[in-house]
Amino acid sequence: MTLFAILLAVAAAAFGLARLLHLPAIPFLVLGGFALRFLTERIDWSLPPDLLRGLIEVGLAVLVFTAGTELSPRRMRGRTRSILIVALAQFLSLGMAGLLMARLLGYDWITAGYIGCALSASSTLVVVRLMQQRRQMFEPYGRLVIGVLLLQDVLIILLLVALMSAPEGGMAVMRAIGASIALGLLSWLVHRYAVPLVCQRVKLDDEELMLGSLALLFTFGALAWVLEVNFLVGALCAGFALSAFPMNGLVRGLLGSLSGFFLALFFICIGFVLTLPGLEALWHGVLLTAVLIGVTVILVTIVAEATGYSTRASIESALLLSQTSEFSLLIALAGLYQGQITTELFSLIALVTIGTMTLTPFIARERVVRFLMTWHPRYRRGEEEVGDMSDHVLLLGYGRSGARILESLEREKVPAVVVDEDAVVIRKLASRGIPCVQGDAADAATLRRANAQKARAVLVLLRHSRDSRFVMEHLSGHPARVFVRTMEPLEAAAIQALGGTAIRADEAAADQLMEWLRLNTP
């Protein structure tokens, strides 16, 4: 009991410090575990190795189980092709990039292979929690990211099974992979038939639902033991079995506190295992982190665009996927326990994993997305020249609303110009011969290129109210009428005060807007 009291005290201090500094808790938990080890070495006391390993494995099992409840295949509907291409491209390319970089840094082939495997998948734990906080789960790119995570989790589990069975020979690897696939098929059957049946016919209270969920976790864990595959295969399959709506939401709500408890234990124990790497290892970690983020951002952006996603959605997906997975730690632990990698290399992989997990909330931000969009290769050859156009309608921003409005303008034979910063949007518009300008609509030079001062009307469909206010101020004193899509009454009042006309998004559809323009535009 004293041991758990100490671990919980360290966890409480880590969470409190993270909340105080408004930073992710994971690095503080790891640092707390490392500090605890440093302290215990000074007083000649340590966690028993078997207990330490057990806490890590149980914690990871609960975390993987909880993450699995988010991986409903329904979120992949209509996007299977894009998900397959992006997931496989990232998984294989990052694995190869990590392997080659490790070889260039002087590691042997086995060690380099572990580094490549550790870099090949993204973290379901970090990405799902971040998208939940930002309410992005049902965005188009959110569905792409969830699908990629689901497929990569399956691939990394199979890879882990292969690595764990490799010392016993090729037949053992084939048998273990076959057993894992069989367990996955059973999980799908439970997900597809058993769970919906229970939801329809059995009313469970919270305690029964929680006990049933944990019973399913232990059942799949026992099946994994019987089939002689890694226990995490059972944990992921159990979570996937419960990922159907509405069961996943109920289970996630009930297990939230339990998941947080094991999250704390897991990362504290990881910190306890770590050793302080030397300067050379730290430099290698920085290089591997740079390779991971650089390759992911460039590759996922290109591949997602090629499969039909917009530039913004592609970049947002790439930034969300720019970290290594919690499974990377398990792969490193497997190599450590089998004597194939050293403690220092395990610490290196752990630092890259924890470092990239910590960086994700900071790099997956709107300002980073907009900055990267300015560096995106521009399709200037495809832009239709605006020239000296005048008396036209200028659309600032495109999206679904812009597409409907543009269709209505074309039917009415009203000349229109579209300004959008998304390269994919510009390319599609240019292929239709529609005058368009690629750039930031909240930029004076871009507005001049689009002849905003000579426009009959300017329709502002931008995301941020500050950009809409900039357009209003820039066009102050010019004859162009400015209509701004707004989302709330306060924003509408601010636009009216600046001399514009606010169009409440919840009160106007595209055809209604066109009718309003026909009646109110000179």
Side-chain angles (χ1 to χ4, degrees), residues 312 316 365-370 396-397 421 440-442 460-472 484-487 491 495:
R312 174 179 288 276
E316 287 174 325
R365 289 184 172 182
E366 174 67 18
R367 65 175 63 182
V368 179
V369 173
R370 299 190 70 173
L396 302 182
E421 58 186 350
D440 183 3
V460 183
L461 307 174
L462 303 178
R463 290 180 171 220
H464 300 290
S465 57
R466 64 175 181 272
D467 294 338
S468 300
R469 288 195 296 270
F470 174 85
V471 173
M472 293 293 309
V484 182
R485 180 185 63 186
T486 59
M487 302 298 176
E491 185 182 352
I495 293 300

Side-chain angles (χ1 to χ4, degrees), residues 67 71 136 226 281 296 328 354-355 396 402-403 449 452 457 497:
L71 302 179
Q136 297 172 329
V226 170
T296 301
S328 302
I354 295 163
L396 302 182
R449 287 173 56 207

